[in-house]
Amino acid sequence: MIKKILRRLFCTIALLFSGIIFALCGYYLVEIEPHRSEITSLSQSLNQAPHHNPQVDPLLSVIYPTQSIYASASRDLFFHFHQGQRISQGKYHLHHALWQLWLTVLYNQSEINSIWLAEAYFGSDNGNPVYGLEHASQVRFSAQVSTLNCSQLVELLAMLHAPSLYKAKPELFKKRVEKLEMKGCSEQKVKQE
Protein backbone atom coordinates (compact mmCIF):
# COMPACT_ATOMS: atom_id res chain seq x y z
CA MET A 1 0.00 0.00 0.00
CA ILE A 2 2.74 2.47 0.98
CA LYS A 3 4.77 1.49 -2.09
CA LYS A 4 1.76 2.20 -4.28
CA ILE A 5 1.24 5.64 -2.70
CA LEU A 6 4.93 6.48 -3.00
CA ARG A 7 4.97 5.35 -6.65
CA ARG A 8 1.94 7.55 -7.44
CA LEU A 9 3.47 10.48 -5.59
CA PHE A 10 6.76 10.07 -7.47
CA CYS A 11 4.92 9.83 -10.82
CA THR A 12 2.87 12.94 -9.99
CA ILE A 13 5.98 14.90 -9.03
CA ALA A 14 7.83 13.73 -12.16
CA LEU A 15 4.86 14.64 -14.33
CA LEU A 16 4.57 18.07 -12.70
CA PHE A 17 8.31 18.71 -13.09
CA SER A 18 8.18 17.64 -16.75
CA GLY A 19 5.22 19.93 -17.33
CA ILE A 20 7.08 22.90 -15.83
CA ILE A 21 10.16 22.22 -17.98
CA PHE A 22 7.97 21.85 -21.06
CA ALA A 23 6.14 25.12 -20.27
CA LEU A 24 9.42 27.01 -19.75
CA CYS A 25 10.83 25.73 -23.03
CA GLY A 26 7.59 26.56 -24.81
CA TYR A 27 7.64 30.07 -23.36
CA TYR A 28 11.21 30.49 -24.62
CA LEU A 29 10.24 29.41 -28.14
CA VAL A 30 7.17 31.66 -28.30
CA GLU A 31 8.33 34.76 -26.37
CA ILE A 32 12.13 34.95 -26.30
CA GLU A 33 13.45 33.20 -29.43
CA PRO A 34 11.69 35.50 -31.96
CA HIS A 35 13.53 38.47 -30.40
CA ARG A 36 16.83 36.73 -29.63
CA SER A 37 18.89 38.30 -32.43
CA GLU A 38 17.79 41.83 -31.44
CA ILE A 39 18.48 41.12 -27.75
CA THR A 40 21.91 39.69 -28.61
CA SER A 41 22.80 42.78 -30.65
CA LEU A 42 21.78 44.93 -27.66
CA SER A 43 23.98 42.77 -25.43
CA GLN A 44 26.99 43.72 -27.53
CA SER A 45 26.08 47.35 -28.26
CA LEU A 46 28.01 49.03 -25.44
CA ASN A 47 31.04 46.79 -25.80
CA GLN A 48 31.62 47.59 -29.47
CA ALA A 49 34.62 49.78 -30.24
CA PRO A 50 33.12 53.29 -30.68
CA HIS A 51 30.88 52.96 -27.61
CA HIS A 52 33.12 50.98 -25.27
CA ASN A 53 33.98 52.52 -21.93
CA PRO A 54 35.62 50.04 -19.56
CA GLN A 55 34.34 51.95 -16.52
CA VAL A 56 30.64 51.20 -17.17
CA ASP A 57 30.47 47.62 -15.83
CA PRO A 58 32.48 48.27 -12.62
CA LEU A 59 30.44 51.40 -11.87
CA LEU A 60 27.16 49.56 -12.40
CA SER A 61 28.28 46.81 -10.02
CA VAL A 62 28.94 49.44 -7.35
CA ILE A 63 25.75 51.46 -7.93
CA TYR A 64 23.09 48.79 -8.64
CA PRO A 65 22.68 45.23 -7.32
CA THR A 66 22.91 42.51 -9.99
CA GLN A 67 19.34 41.29 -9.54
CA SER A 68 17.91 44.78 -10.00
CA ILE A 69 19.75 45.08 -13.32
CA TYR A 70 18.31 41.76 -14.55
CA ALA A 71 14.85 42.83 -13.34
CA SER A 72 15.09 46.23 -15.04
CA ALA A 73 16.39 44.74 -18.29
CA SER A 74 13.60 42.15 -18.39
CA ARG A 75 10.97 44.83 -17.69
CA ASP A 76 12.34 47.15 -20.39
CA LEU A 77 12.61 44.38 -22.99
CA PHE A 78 9.13 43.08 -22.25
CA PHE A 79 7.67 46.56 -22.73
CA HIS A 80 9.78 47.09 -25.85
CA PHE A 81 8.49 43.92 -27.52
CA HIS A 82 4.89 44.28 -26.30
CA GLN A 83 4.25 47.98 -26.92
CA GLY A 84 0.60 48.91 -27.06
CA GLN A 85 -0.66 45.59 -25.74
CA ARG A 86 -3.02 45.68 -22.78
CA ILE A 87 -2.02 43.16 -20.17
CA SER A 88 -3.34 42.49 -16.67
CA GLN A 89 -1.15 43.06 -13.63
CA GLY A 90 -0.95 39.34 -12.82
CA LYS A 91 0.02 38.40 -16.38
CA TYR A 92 2.60 41.17 -16.44
CA HIS A 93 4.27 39.86 -13.26
CA LEU A 94 4.34 36.33 -14.67
CA HIS A 95 5.83 37.49 -17.97
CA HIS A 96 8.33 39.68 -16.14
CA ALA A 97 9.49 36.77 -13.97
CA LEU A 98 9.85 34.48 -16.99
CA TRP A 99 11.77 37.07 -19.00
CA GLN A 100 14.07 37.62 -16.02
CA LEU A 101 14.64 33.87 -15.67
CA TRP A 102 15.54 33.46 -19.34
CA LEU A 103 17.79 36.54 -19.40
CA THR A 104 19.65 35.18 -16.36
CA VAL A 105 20.14 31.85 -18.15
CA LEU A 106 21.14 33.31 -21.54
CA TYR A 107 23.31 36.37 -20.77
CA ASN A 108 26.22 37.13 -18.46
CA GLN A 109 26.52 40.26 -16.30
CA SER A 110 28.33 42.41 -18.86
CA GLU A 111 25.84 41.48 -21.58
CA ILE A 112 22.84 42.20 -19.37
CA ASN A 113 24.37 45.57 -18.42
CA SER A 114 24.61 46.41 -22.11
CA ILE A 115 21.04 45.25 -22.79
CA TRP A 116 19.67 47.33 -19.94
CA LEU A 117 21.65 50.47 -20.76
CA ALA A 118 20.72 50.26 -24.45
CA GLU A 119 16.97 50.30 -23.59
CA ALA A 120 16.91 52.28 -20.32
CA TYR A 121 14.93 55.49 -19.94
CA PHE A 122 17.04 58.53 -19.02
CA GLY A 123 14.27 61.11 -18.77
CA SER A 124 13.37 63.63 -21.42
CA ASP A 125 15.05 66.45 -23.31
CA ASN A 126 12.72 69.26 -24.40
CA GLY A 127 9.78 66.88 -24.18
CA ASN A 128 11.48 64.12 -26.19
CA PRO A 129 12.18 60.86 -24.33
CA VAL A 130 15.81 59.81 -24.02
CA TYR A 131 16.43 56.05 -24.26
CA GLY A 132 19.81 54.37 -24.07
CA LEU A 133 23.13 55.34 -22.52
CA GLU A 134 24.66 56.50 -25.80
CA HIS A 135 21.73 58.81 -26.55
CA ALA A 136 21.78 60.14 -22.96
CA SER A 137 25.51 60.80 -23.26
CA GLN A 138 24.97 62.78 -26.47
CA VAL A 139 22.11 64.80 -24.93
CA ARG A 140 23.77 65.51 -21.57
CA PHE A 141 27.44 65.91 -22.56
CA SER A 142 27.44 66.10 -26.39
CA ALA A 143 29.96 63.25 -26.35
CA GLN A 144 30.13 59.51 -26.92
CA VAL A 145 30.03 57.19 -23.91
CA SER A 146 33.57 56.04 -24.69
CA THR A 147 34.93 59.54 -23.99
CA LEU A 148 33.19 60.13 -20.65
CA ASN A 149 35.13 60.22 -17.40
CA CYS A 150 34.06 58.48 -14.21
CA SER A 151 32.13 61.46 -12.81
CA GLN A 152 30.16 61.92 -16.02
CA LEU A 153 29.31 58.21 -16.17
CA VAL A 154 28.15 58.27 -12.55
CA GLU A 155 25.91 61.24 -13.37
CA LEU A 156 24.26 59.31 -16.24
CA LEU A 157 23.93 56.06 -14.30
CA ALA A 158 22.48 57.87 -11.27
CA MET A 159 19.67 59.21 -13.48
CA LEU A 160 18.39 55.67 -14.04
CA HIS A 161 17.06 55.46 -10.51
CA ALA A 162 14.34 58.10 -11.01
CA PRO A 163 14.89 60.38 -14.03
CA SER A 164 11.64 62.34 -13.69
CA LEU A 165 12.13 62.91 -9.96
CA TYR A 166 15.70 64.11 -10.44
CA LYS A 167 14.68 66.51 -13.18
CA ALA A 168 12.08 68.03 -10.83
CA LYS A 169 14.47 68.07 -7.84
CA PRO A 170 18.00 68.84 -9.06
CA GLU A 171 19.35 69.24 -5.50
CA LEU A 172 18.33 65.65 -4.72
CA PHE A 173 20.02 64.49 -7.92
CA LYS A 174 23.21 66.38 -7.05
CA LYS A 175 23.36 64.70 -3.61
CA ARG A 176 22.88 61.25 -5.17
CA VAL A 177 25.59 61.89 -7.76
CA GLU A 178 28.05 63.07 -5.11
CA LYS A 179 27.36 60.02 -2.94
CA LEU A 180 27.71 57.58 -5.85
CA GLU A 181 30.75 59.39 -7.20
CA MET A 182 32.51 58.98 -3.86
CA LYS A 183 31.61 55.31 -3.78
CA GLY A 184 32.12 54.41 -7.46
CA CYS A 185 34.96 56.64 -8.63
CA SER A 186 37.06 56.14 -5.50
CA GLU A 187 36.86 52.34 -6.04
CA GLN A 188 37.90 52.88 -9.67
CA LYS A 189 40.96 54.88 -8.55
CA VAL A 190 41.95 52.21 -6.01
CA LYS A 191 41.75 49.48 -8.67
CA GLN A 192 43.81 51.54 -11.14
CA GLU A 193 46.61 52.15 -8.60
Side-chain angles (χ1 to χ4, degrees):
M1 177 77 169
I2 292 176
K3 283 184 178 181
K4 206 174 192 181
I5 292 171
L6 288 175
R7 196 174 310 133
R8 276 194 180 162
L9 182 63
F10 178 76
C11 288
T12 304
I13 291 171
L15 194 61
L16 183 64
F17 185 73
S18 300
I20 291 170
I21 297 296
F22 182 74
L24 287 173
C25 292
Y27 188 86
Y28 170 81
L29 292 172
V30 171
E31 277 291 321
I32 310 294
E33 180 58 32
H35 310 294
R36 187 77 195 278
S37 61
E38 189 175 344
I39 296 170
T40 300
S41 70
L42 288 173
S43 76
Q44 299 163 352
S45 63
L46 283 177
N47 295 325
Q48 293 170 345
H51 306 293
H52 185 64
N53 188 322
Q55 298 177 83
V56 172
D57 284 344
L59 281 173
L60 271 178
S61 69
V62 169
I63 297 172
Y64 297 101
T66 300
Q67 280 312 107
S68 75
I69 293 174
Y70 276 94
S72 297
S74 64
R75 180 198 63 226
D76 292 349
L77 284 173
F78 180 75
F79 282 133
H80 175 78
F81 293 121
H82 294 85
Q83 287 178 359
Q85 291 182 11
R86 294 179 64 104
I87 188 164
S88 71
Q89 194 74 9
K91 271 187 170 181
Y92 163 73
H93 288 299
L94 178 63
H95 280 291
H96 182 261
L98 291 169
W99 271 81
Q100 188 172 347
L101 171 75
W102 278 110
L103 289 177
T104 305
V105 169
L106 298 170
Y107 298 100
N108 66 35
Q109 185 64 51
S110 181
E111 291 169 329
I112 208 67
N113 290 348
S114 185
I115 289 168
W116 181 44
L117 293 175
E119 288 290 307
Y121 176 65
F122 285 85
S124 62
D125 177 49
N126 296 324
N128 299 317
V130 177
Y131 289 100
L133 184 64
E134 189 62 41
H135 186 204
S137 176
Q138 292 292 337
V139 168
R140 186 109 177 150
F141 300 110
S142 300
Q144 288 187 324
V145 172
S146 59
T147 63
L148 300 182
N149 62 37
C150 186
S151 297
Q152 292 169 319
L153 277 172
V154 166
E155 193 172 318
L156 286 177
L157 296 176
M159 291 173 73
L160 290 168
H161 183 67
S164 300
L165 172 68
Y166 292 144
K167 189 167 187 168
K169 297 185 177 185
E171 67 285 345
L172 188 64
F173 179 64
K174 186 178 178 186
K175 284 181 186 175
R176 178 165 170 78
V177 169
E178 287 171 357
K179 180 181 171 188
L180 294 176
E181 201 172 284
M182 272 181 26
K183 189 176 176 185
C185 293
S186 62
E187 281 191 25
Q188 290 288 313
K189 288 175 188 169
V190 169
K191 287 179 183 175
Q192 288 173 354
E193 290 174 355

